[in-house]
Amino acid sequence: MSGVVPRQEPTLADVPGMGSPVPPPAMDKPQGPWKTAGKRFVRNPYAMGGLAVLLFFAIVAILAPVIAPYEPDKIDFMNTNLPPGTKGYPLGTDELGRDIFSRLVYSSQISLTVGFSVAAAAVLIGSLVGAVAGYFGGWIDTILMRLVDVMNSLPSLFLNILVLSIFGSDFIYMVLVLSFTGWMGVARLVRGTFLQLREMQYVEAARATGVSSWGIMFRHLLRNSSHPIIVNATLMVGSAILSESALSYLGLGIQAPETSWGLMLSNAQEFMLVDPLQALYPGLCILIIVLAVNFIGDGIQDALNPREKKTFSARRLRQWRNKYSKSTG
Amino acid sequence: MTEYFIRRIIQSIVVLFLVTVVTFAIIHLAPGGPTEVLVAPGLSPEAFEVQKRNLGLDQPAHIQYVRWIGKLLQGDLGKTFKNSVPVGELLWPTIGNTFVLMGAAWLVAMVIAIPWGIYNSTREYGLSDQTASFISYLGFAMPTFWFGIILQQYFSLKLNWFPLSDMWTMGKKGDIGDLLMHLVLPVCVLSLAFLAYYVKYSRSSMLEVLQQDYIRTARAKGVRENRVIFRHALRNALIPIITIIGLDLPMLVSGAALTENVFNWPGMGRLFVDMAIAREYNVLMAIVMVTSVMVVIGNLLADILYAVADPRVKLGRKGGDTA
């Protein structure tokens, strides 16, 4: 990743509720908007690089049993703390004699699963809440938006830790709690679009022909939020991966004998004096994968809205900041 | 204007009330709830019941809630289950410690990032701009705690320049020089996280202003570029930067849980993690409450500051909370 200095203006990949909805595809154009966006995406070297890296990790995760020379939890007291480069152990072993390379490989499964399931679940919850709030408006909207305010006021890392300490550190709970603290951005996006569009004539026409409210919401209106949702979901994959590693590092996420990059880091910190290199690999993996996901997200953003304003108002900056600052600290 | 402020304040109070409900509900909806923590090996069922009654955990949830909130409003945060230490005694010193750490990180980040971002806005896509954007990407994608561990390994274990962890060296408590040495590494870690978006923030805020018509007018009438930047543009560009000060206030007490754990800094974030593992729910609720109050106040302050600083801001019901 040496040449990553972006030549183009790096977008901050943010669209929430701003500007006009995506215009309907012009009739005289031979290609649909998705296709043109796809072309623009392919021409963006950072986005494509990110995609390649992500695919690489996905393949590694799927083929983990083939690639990894050992089981990730195989303890071998005869071979503890081997240095990197030892024959048979490319990155050495940890204090229990577990092969670090195998553990790294298997950990990618956890990270990717958490990342994508959290993004999917959060988009699901967020779209549902946002759609209902924006479509029905009135007191339903007020209640749901206050709920969003409440969730935004609760410190998400603390909330994650709290829930996991109560319910126990389980993979499913972790995915649930990360989605539970991550859906608000999507809800706001969707609500914003719905508020703008619900009075449009085509909605009225659909209603007149007898389409139910849910049909209008999910068949007709939700499509108009698809662009920002996709961008938001992509970036959420990255932040979920970061959160997972943080929780596992703190001892509240993935538990041994399972393995995860965050868990490996907490282990490595304990044995820092013995093997300083141990801490390097898992962190690098997290960094690279999240970087890749963010490049993809920004690439999609650029591809979908090439003329999107590159600078933005304070309000949008705030939304953007909320999104990125989830895992700082 | 006053009406808007009053409405915002009422809104904030409602949000805070709901925050207490949500926090309380999470803890009490859990299987076993807070009582589970009382179960100790060798504890007889009778003793368990007595213990439960002493802590008021035998009451229905809504009664417990009313009691808890009643005490909270009087500033009583309750006691820990084990050892019955008042929560306040645990909490307040750690808030101070976190504040020292975050305040330092935040100041460093601001001092570097704002001028840097402004400079970059005048030389878009230049070397310095690209470096900043590279650093931002890194800052967003890097697990902060990992960066901390790497710094520890290099600068304290290998080079031995800075202490590995903690806030003071044993027996040197109160020595400012010692504190500063302990601050260097965690501040590096945290300020990178801040810096990552402050640079972008100030840059785009400045760019937004530089596109305005009045800047073009100023240039057209022959005002020197420096003067355009510093006299005409900067003032308006700083307005959104003011808002971020308000928005980041809560981070000053809450934002460092991971870094504090890496560097064993005796702050609130570390207390939270320790108490979560010990399942001391009173402490956890208190910390969540303190943080949420800070967030709500921060948001409120940001809105108010913004409205006061920029008379163009439209205040109205419509669109007031769309964002």
Side-chain angles (χ1 to χ4, degrees):
Chain A
M1 301 292 295
S2 56
V4 249
V5 180
R7 222 163 290 122
Q8 299 152 304
E9 159 69 9
T11 53
L12 303 164
D14 181 89
V15 246
M18 256 306 279
S20 55
V22 179
M27 279 308 154
D28 53 331
K29 265 193 189 168
Q31 286 175 326
W34 291 103
K35 230 174 185 173
T36 40
K39 278 197 172 156
R40 272 194 292 268
F41 184 84
V42 171
R43 277 201 301 268
N44 180 339
Y46 299 102
M48 287 310 280
L51 194 62
V53 170
L54 190 65
L55 278 178
F56 170 76
F57 274 102
I59 293 169
V60 167
I62 292 166
L63 297 181
V66 183
I67 297 172
Y70 304 93
E71 288 296 308
D73 52 351
K74 185 177 159 275
I75 293 172
D76 178 1
F77 287 114
M78 302 301 289
N79 289 309
T80 56
N81 293 317
L82 293 177
T86 313
K87 198 167 189 308
Y89 300 93
L91 297 179
T93 56
D94 65 6
E95 77 288 350
L96 295 174
R98 293 174 295 193
D99 178 40
I100 291 176
F101 177 69
S102 304
R103 276 167 56 83
L104 273 186
V105 168
Y106 272 96
S107 296
S108 60
Q109 291 181 336
I110 296 281
S111 282
L112 288 174
T113 325
V114 171
F116 283 95
S117 23
V118 167
V123 165
L124 204 71
I125 305 175
S127 318
L128 198 65
V129 173
V132 170
Y135 185 79
F136 292 111
W139 61 271
I140 298 181
D141 181 40
T142 311
I143 289 179
L144 290 176
M145 282 305 110
R146 278 303 85 77
L147 183 67
V148 169
D149 285 346
V150 170
M151 290 303 296
N152 272 334
S153 309
L154 285 164
S156 60
L157 180 64
F158 283 175
L159 206 59
N160 293 338
I161 296 174
L162 181 69
V163 171
L164 288 177
S165 80
I166 293 172
F167 287 86
S169 302
D170 187 87
F171 180 79
I172 297 293
Y173 288 145
M174 186 161 61
V175 171
L176 286 179
V177 72
L178 287 179
S179 338
F180 173 65
T181 49
W183 54 272
M184 291 84 76
V186 176
R188 284 196 157 150
L189 281 174
V190 173
R191 172 182 176 265
T193 326
F194 273 47
L195 279 182
Q196 280 174 349
L197 294 184
R198 64 171 182 194
E199 308 298 341
M200 301 276 270
Q201 285 193 333
Y202 77 93
V203 177
E204 213 171 305
R207 207 174 286 136
T209 52
V211 182
S212 70
S213 294
W214 295 101
I216 294 174
M217 275 154 67
F218 293 102
R219 296 283 300 262
H220 297 277
L221 286 175
L222 197 58
R223 288 171 166 229
N224 290 295
S225 321
S226 56
H227 289 186
I229 288 179
I230 291 172
V231 175
N232 203 298
T234 319
L235 294 172
M236 213 176 322
V237 173
S239 72
I241 290 175
L242 281 175
S243 304
E244 181 275 322
S245 68
L247 290 171
S248 299
Y249 168 74
L250 293 175
L252 288 150
I254 303 294
Q255 304 283 324
E258 297 280 308
T259 172
S260 115
W261 290 329
L263 194 61
M264 291 178 73
L265 275 172
S266 88
N267 211 29
Q269 196 189 13
E270 255 178 77
F271 295 89
M272 206 147 57
L273 284 168
V274 187
D275 183 2
L277 276 175
Q278 245 187 65
L280 192 66
Y281 319 118
L284 268 185
C285 287
I286 302 171
L287 174 64
I288 290 171
I289 203 167
V290 176
L291 209 53
V293 169
N294 288 353
F295 277 147
I296 297 174
D298 287 356
I300 297 177
Q301 159 84 358
D302 278 349
L304 291 173
N305 301 305
R307 274 177 290 280
E308 170 86 8
K309 251 178 40 167
K310 301 288 185 186
T311 63
F312 31 45
S313 65
R315 172 145 269 149
R316 297 187 60 216
L317 273 167
R318 188 193 293 193
Q319 295 164 342
W320 165 76
R321 170 191 166 280
N322 281 339
K323 196 158 69 200
Y324 275 111
S325 62
K326 283 277 171 212
S327 43
T328 51
Chain B
M1 196 91 146
T2 326
E3 194 214 350
Y4 167 75
F5 290 156
I6 292 172
R7 206 173 62 235
R8 281 290 285 113
I9 291 170
I10 294 174
Q11 224 176 49
S12 306
I13 293 172
V14 172
V15 166
L16 275 182
F17 168 70
L18 293 173
V19 163
T20 63
V21 176
V22 172
T23 322
F24 196 82
I26 291 175
I27 287 174
H28 286 262
L29 285 178
T35 48
E36 209 187 321
V37 76
L38 301 176
V39 184
L43 190 73
S44 72
E46 292 80 25
F48 176 70
E49 286 306 319
V50 171
Q51 179 80 312
K52 216 170 140 178
R53 199 161 336 117
N54 285 344
L55 292 166
L57 294 172
D58 56 335
Q59 302 285 335
H62 61 275
I63 305 233
Q64 286 187 41
Y65 173 74
V66 172
R67 279 189 184 169
W68 176 64
I69 198 116
K71 281 187 181 167
L72 192 71
L73 288 176
Q74 295 166 31
D76 179 4
L77 299 169
K79 288 179 177 167
T80 59
F81 294 151
K82 287 165 207 149
N83 308 332
S84 295
V85 185
V87 171
E89 257 175 48
L90 281 174
L91 193 57
W92 302 126
T94 62
I95 291 185
N97 293 345
T98 303
F99 187 78
V100 169
L101 175 62
M102 289 301 274
W106 187 65
L107 268 181
V108 169
M110 288 279 251
V111 166
I112 299 175
I114 292 178
W116 196 13
I118 288 167
Y119 174 84
N120 289 349
S121 74
T122 61
R123 286 164 182 77
E124 266 189 280
Y125 310 121
L127 182 65
S128 143
D129 195 17
Q130 286 184 9
T131 315
S133 129
F134 177 66
I135 290 178
S136 296
Y137 267 112
L138 275 189
F140 291 141
M142 180 138 54
T144 37
F145 55 99
W146 173 67
F147 186 44
I149 296 173
I150 298 295
L151 288 186
Q152 275 182 330
Q153 290 191 341
Y154 196 71
F155 290 103
S156 60
L157 288 183
K158 197 164 176 213
L159 297 177
N160 211 3
W161 286 2
F162 302 108
L164 183 66
S165 58
D166 299 305
M167 193 169 169
W168 314 93
T169 315
M170 277 279 235
K172 273 199 180 173
K173 199 165 176 175
D175 181 348
I176 296 294
D178 187 50
L179 175 65
L180 286 178
M181 287 303 274
H182 280 89
L183 269 172
V184 174
L185 293 184
V187 162
C188 274
V189 172
L190 285 168
S191 53
L192 179 78
F194 277 125
L195 193 92
Y197 68 90
Y198 280 6
V199 172
K200 289 209 163 192
Y201 196 93
S202 49
R203 174 186 185 271
S204 26
S205 168
M206 192 72 180
L207 277 177
E208 173 96 4
V209 173
L210 285 176
Q211 286 169 4
Q212 306 280 324
D213 287 343
Y214 77 94
I215 296 292
R216 199 192 313 147
T217 311
R219 282 183 179 145
K221 74 177 188 192
V223 178
R224 272 200 333 264
E225 188 60 21
N226 271 344
R227 207 178 151 80
V228 170
I229 301 285
F230 289 107
R231 289 300 292 259
H232 296 252
L234 189 58
R235 287 180 172 205
N236 278 320
L238 282 178
I239 291 172
I241 297 174
I242 296 174
T243 4
I244 208 147
I245 298 175
L247 284 171
D248 276 346
L249 272 181
M251 297 248 284
L252 292 186
V253 294
S254 73
L258 290 162
T259 314
E260 284 177 7
N261 268 280
V262 173
F263 290 98
N264 205 24
W265 190 270
M268 199 168 73
R270 215 195 77 199
L271 181 70
F272 192 87
V273 175
D274 290 349
M275 292 295 121
I277 290 165
R279 299 186 156 204
E280 285 290 355
Y281 295 119
N282 280 338
V283 186
L284 300 183
M285 284 202 283
I287 294 181
V288 171
M289 278 316 297
V290 168
T291 320
S292 304
V293 170
M294 291 296 288
V295 174
V296 170
I297 293 176
N299 276 315
L300 189 67
L301 269 181
D303 277 351
I304 290 176
L305 277 175
Y306 194 50
V308 171
D310 191 347
R312 290 168 305 179
V313 176
K314 284 192 217 94
L315 304 172
R317 191 165 277 274
K318 231 182 157 194
D321 50 10
T322 43

